Amino acid sequence: MKSTVLVLNCGSSTLKYALVERSSGETRAKGLVERIGESEVPDHEAALRTAFDRLADDGVDLHDGALVAVGHRAVHGGRKFVEPTLVTDELIETMRELEPLAPLHNPPGVLGMEVARRLLPKLPHVAVFDTAFFHDLPVAAATYAIDAEIAEKWHIRRYGFHGQSHEYVSQQAAAFVGRPYDAVRQIVLHLGNGASASAIDGGRPVDTSMGLTPMEGLVMGTRSGDIDPGVLGYLHRTAGLSVEEIDTLLNRRSGMLGVGGAVDFREIHSRIDSGDGHAELAYRIYLHRLRKYIGAYLAVLGGADVISFTAGVGENDARLRADALSGLSALGIELDGELNVSDSRYTRRISTESSAVTVLVVPTDEELAIARACAAVVG
Ligand code: ADP
């Protein structure tokens, strides 16, 4: 019997799960439980039981001895957690202390760990942190230019997120172009509902667009990304918004939704095509920001060998990829129009043969990355 790892990724209203075979990395089953908190799935325990029932329907018996560990996606590890770590009462306690750093993301993750430990008490549970890959960012990239004592006291630094994806995709990309990981300068564009970019120099991340929280950087589905910090005080003083209201505005009512009226890029394109100026403006802001980051990271790296697009938007939206990289031939970036629109599910090149920078689409697999990290811990 082949040993497997169960990967759980708990959000506030969704639970993603996957059962990954440890040696081959093959995903045996995966799924998504949505609308946690609504009548059919009232809480995270119900969500996990639903996932277990669905796995059972798929012929998976979680108690047949094949399952060797449970890997949990943990978003914010703060300064404390860098390596994948066994989930203990102490870890959960510390994760609670980190909640102010990631109020939207850490609480559901912790809840998922607690429920899963209760339902699968005999197995080792491992937390794999989104921030870990970026832990050793160069200090100049990790440090905000604010009062040093305050930053130190409150652990304010740039942590970075989507670490599993940036690491996995950059490794896949290096393997695809047939070069050693430590010899390639890469830019990874993780464009999903949340979006982040990273600059990776010889396997070492040297910058990333998300910061203390997953709000900084690129324009996202519902998040603003970069914004003048002056806007926050202005909204508070002038519009009378509370801190919570400002948080909600920037996290949930901004980005593509706030400007363009829709989160999903399929919807954005169809609105643009029917003449919707709001959707068009949102798209243009998104592209402008993305292109600025690409330019910035080319400068940070002193030129790139590979640029990879990944996640829901990056993997599927050929039009966006073409618009993001148009007119950059002076920087050595030339997209092949035909390759760009081919819809393969595998890693593929979309730049021309002669493009100095190789542009790839690399399907991300955060669950597999978590399973591997977790397997390394439990041996
Ligand atoms: P999450 O951050 O929730 O994991 P995903 O990486 O799954 O997000 O990305 C989801 C987003 O991907 C959707 O909101 C949508 O904008 C985009 N997307 C998915 N499929 C397509 C497609 N065929 N064309 C354009 N965009 C797509």
Side-chain angles (χ1 to χ4, degrees):
M1 192 162 28
K2 297 208 172 122
S3 57
T4 55
V5 174
L6 177 65
V7 176
L8 300 177
N9 180 353
C10 251
S12 55
S13 66
T14 60
L15 165 69
K16 288 185 191 162
Y17 61 93
L19 192 70
V20 181
E21 217 160 73
R22 191 155 71 148
S23 48
S24 64
E26 194 185 312
T27 301
R28 292 252 324 265
K30 75 194 289 181
L32 170 70
V33 181
E34 290 179 288
R35 297 173 198 276
I36 301 175
E38 294 181 24
S39 57
E40 274 176 41
V41 194
D43 54 24
H44 284 76
E45 174 149 353
L48 210 54
R49 289 190 189 280
T50 304
F52 290 178
D53 289 345
R54 290 196 197 155
L55 284 166
D57 291 344
D58 286 346
V60 175
D61 176 3
L62 291 177
H63 301 284
D64 65 1
L67 184 62
V68 292
V70 184
H72 295 264
R73 176 180 183 211
V75 172
H76 211 310
R79 296 201 289 198
K80 181 101 184 168
F81 298 114
V82 182
E83 301 295 330
T85 309
L86 269 184
V87 178
T88 59
D89 293 343
E90 294 75 58
L91 176 130
I92 286 183
E93 186 68 23
T94 313
M95 289 290 291
R96 287 244 162 75
E97 288 162 21
L98 291 172
E99 279 181 7
L101 280 171
L104 298 179
H105 295 87
N106 273 19
V110 170
L111 213 54
M113 288 178 205
E114 290 184 312
V115 173
R117 280 175 94 206
R118 227 182 307 125
L119 297 182
L120 297 167
K122 297 210 177 95
L123 291 170
H125 291 248
V126 177
V128 181
F129 296 91
D130 238 38
T131 47
F133 183 55
F134 299 111
H135 181 258
D136 291 324
L137 277 184
V139 284
T143 310
Y144 288 111
I146 62 169
D147 181 282
E149 270 177 42
I150 289 196
E152 174 62 26
K153 178 167 182 206
W154 298 102
H155 302 187
I156 297 171
R157 59 158 274 179
R158 307 190 59 255
Y159 289 92
F161 297 85
H162 293 139
Q164 284 88 243
S165 182
H166 286 279
E167 183 172 25
Y168 174 83
V169 167
S170 56
Q171 288 169 344
Q172 293 291 113
F176 186 84
V177 298
R179 296 181 54 187
Y181 190 43
D182 63 7
V184 199
R185 296 168 302 172
Q186 308 199 41
I187 296 173
V188 176
L189 305 170
H190 176 109
L191 312 177
N193 278 325
S196 61
S198 67
I200 301 172
D201 191 359
R204 178 176 179 225
V206 291
D207 207 351
T208 191
S209 60
M210 284 178 168
L212 175 79
T213 75
M215 287 169 71
E216 192 179 344
L218 301 175
V219 176
M220 311 184 206
T222 63
R223 286 174 238 160
S224 62
D226 293 339
I227 189 166
D228 178 352
V231 171
L232 281 67
Y234 179 78
L235 278 172
H236 177 62
R237 286 189 303 272
T238 313
L241 297 193
S242 67
V243 173
E244 284 70 30
E245 285 168 331
I246 295 171
D247 253 356
T248 304
L249 171 73
L250 298 178
N251 263 306
R252 300 200 195 272
R253 286 170 39 212
S254 297
M256 300 309 289
L257 180 67
V259 182
V263 167
D264 194 302
F265 274 78
R266 289 163 286 197
E267 177 69 21
I268 292 287
H269 288 304
S270 87
R271 289 185 185 205
I272 293 173
D273 293 343
S274 53
D276 180 337
H278 299 290
E280 163 99 36
L281 176 59
Y283 186 66
R284 284 173 55 192
I285 299 169
Y286 186 99
L287 284 174
H288 182 72
R289 183 84 50 82
L290 183 59
R291 288 166 64 91
K292 281 208 315 199
Y293 270 89
I294 294 167
Y297 287 176
L298 285 169
V300 166
L301 291 164
D305 305 301
V306 182
I307 296 177
S308 298
F309 284 89
T310 192
V313 181
E315 290 168 31
N316 296 300
D317 196 334
R319 183 163 154 191
L320 181 137
R321 291 193 301 260
D323 290 336
L325 299 183
S326 71
L328 299 185
S329 55
L331 299 174
I333 302 170
E334 279 172 14
L335 222 55
D336 181 311
E338 245 170 70
L339 292 178
N340 184 40
V341 296
S342 83
D343 61 349
S344 154
R345 297 283 88 214
Y346 298 98
T347 296
R348 62 190 190 278
R349 174 171 61 85
I350 57 170
S351 50
T352 61
E353 202 86 56
S354 59
S355 177
V357 180
T358 303
V359 184
L360 304 177
V361 173
V362 182
T364 192
D365 195 337
E366 289 169 288
E367 285 75 28
L368 173 57
I370 292 170
R372 281 184 184 155
C374 172
V377 173
V378 299

